[in-house]
Each structure stands twice: as C-alpha cells, then as structure tokens.
Amino acid sequence: KGKQKKTRKYATMKRMLSLRDQRLKEKDRLKPKKKEKKDPSTLKEREVPQHPSCLFFQYNTQLGPPYHILVDTNFINFSIKAKLDLVQSMMDCLYAKCIPCITDCVMAEIEKLGQKYRVALRIAKDPRFERLPCTHKGTYADDCLVQRVTQHKCYIVATVDRDLKRRIRKIPGVPIMYISNHRYNIERMPDDYGAPRF
C-alpha cells in the first residue's frame, strides 16, 4: 500500500474563538454593544467654519495698498518667458505699490529646478521680495499657499496653475493674479479696492 500523499497546507492558522462565543465563561465574554438612544429633543451640533471677520460679504476689507502678492513657482517662470518685470508689471496691473512675497517652499521648488531656471532663482532672491518662512514639512507649495490665504486673507495669489486657481476660487475674498496677453491681469478684484476709504 502506498502512502496517501497529503498536500501540506502553508500558513494555516488555528481557528480562534470569537470573544462573544457562548462556550466562553461569562466573565471572559465580550459584552454586546448597546446602542445609545438619541434624545430627539436635544439640539444637533454641527461644526461650521467661522466666517472671517475681514469679509464684508465678498468684499475683503484687509486688502489694500501696498498689496502683498504671494508668488507661485510657475508664475516667475512664465513672467520670464513673457519678458515681464515682476514688480513693475504688478504695479502696472494694480496702480499701487506691490510687495511680492516668496514662501520658503516656493524658493525650494525653484532651487530644485536646477541650472536651467537660475534666472528665476536670481529674481526670487531680489531684495524687493519679502520672504515668508514655512513651518510645514516638505516643499509642496500649492497646499502651503492655499493654507496661508485661508488663514490670512491679506494676500493676492499670483499663479498660472489651473488647479491652484480652482482651489483659490473656492476661498472667498482672495483675488488671483495671472498672465494673459503679455501682461498681468487680476481676477475677482472689486473696482474700488485702490480707492481711498473715508
């Protein structure tokens, strides 16, 4: 008689008892969960983000000259391509003093682009530009810019990135600067921002 071949089962595990099994002793057994009945008379609480105090409906009262403009990486590159001087073109667009702001992660992104974009790096290190330190990890600038303008609505965002523009449009009171027809244009900027307020 030949031996019957048994196929070996790999990684077999012993069956474990469920903690609610009837064969377990009462004290070891897991108690069945009781559903808490909700009292219909209690008021429901919802987490609603607080409306920013700087907004008067859609009008952002914190925006005014001198304008602080958060510059994205590709905005500098496209400005070079279009042969536009950043500060001068911003002033031509807004008819007021503009302070371009560069965050640490935008600077890191430009540095990562290497030798090909050394002109962009030289522009970004211009003393007229304001440097904003970043506290987050990594060098992903889009999230950083979105978070910054959500918290502080005193900036205009300068970008040509379609996805970033879409994200910024969802935040009320934050204008977007973009490049078209070889000049800077502004999106969602009420007419009387530059006018003196009495």
Side-chain angles (χ1 to χ4, degrees):
K1 260 183 177 180
K3 263 189 183 174
Q4 197 180 355
K5 274 189 181 175
K6 260 191 181 176
T7 50
R8 240 178 105 193
K9 286 178 184 166
Y10 290 97
T12 50
M13 284 177 72
K14 285 184 180 176
R15 282 263 178 86
M16 285 180 76
L17 278 177
S18 162
L19 290 173
R20 289 202 181 83
D21 202 295
Q22 295 296 321
R23 288 170 287 185
L24 286 174
K25 286 176 183 156
E26 191 72 40
K27 62 178 191 330
D28 300 330
R29 211 178 297 159
L30 199 69
K31 299 278 187 295
K33 283 179 185 172
K34 284 181 183 174
K35 277 191 177 178
E36 287 179 20
K37 284 185 179 175
K38 284 181 182 174
D39 189 6
S41 61
T42 55
L43 288 169
K44 282 181 186 173
E45 285 185 10
R46 275 196 313 170
E47 279 283 326
V48 179
Q50 192 186 354
H51 186 72
S53 57
C54 64
L55 291 184
F56 180 72
F57 296 104
Q58 288 287 314
Y59 186 93
N60 189 349
T61 55
Q62 274 185 4
L63 268 181
Y67 295 107
H68 287 76
I69 299 165
L70 278 176
V71 183
D72 189 22
T73 315
N74 51 24
F75 190 80
I76 299 174
N77 295 334
F78 276 83
S79 298
I80 296 164
K81 242 182 213 172
K83 295 185 170 63
L84 292 168
D85 176 60
L86 248 88
V87 181
Q88 190 54 51
S89 303
M90 282 174 181
M91 286 184 181
D92 292 345
C93 176
L94 292 167
Y95 304 116
K97 188 181 178 193
C98 299
I99 303 162
C101 303
I102 297 261
T103 60
D104 284 350
C105 49
V106 169
M107 201 63 149
E109 271 187 6
I110 299 169
E111 282 168 3
K112 267 188 191 170
L113 291 171
Q115 199 63 14
K116 197 178 170 188
Y117 294 91
R118 63 184 181 276
V119 181
L121 189 62
R122 201 180 306 144
I123 288 171
K125 286 181 175 171
D126 191 314
R128 293 175 295 176
F129 286 29
E130 195 178 299
R131 276 297 291 273
L132 301 173
C134 292
T135 49
H136 62 86
K137 282 181 182 173
T139 58
Y140 187 56
D142 288 16
D143 290 346
C144 174
L145 296 179
V146 169
Q147 197 181 359
R148 226 173 256 272
V149 292
T150 311
Q151 287 171 342
H152 316 287
K153 295 191 189 305
C154 56
Y155 297 111
I156 296 169
V157 179
T159 184
V160 287
D161 189 320
R162 203 174 284 165
D163 291 332
L164 183 58
K165 273 198 218 167
R166 204 172 290 141
R167 284 172 73 180
I168 302 282
R169 280 187 198 115
K170 289 176 186 167
I171 308 163
V174 181
I176 301 165
M177 186 178 273
Y178 61 98
I179 304 169
S180 73
N181 300 335
H182 288 274
R183 63 193 212 92
Y184 292 168
N185 290 306
I186 202 99
E187 189 182 296
R188 296 199 316 181
M189 189 81 155
D191 299 331
D192 56 344
Y193 263 130
R197 297 189 193 96
F198 302 106

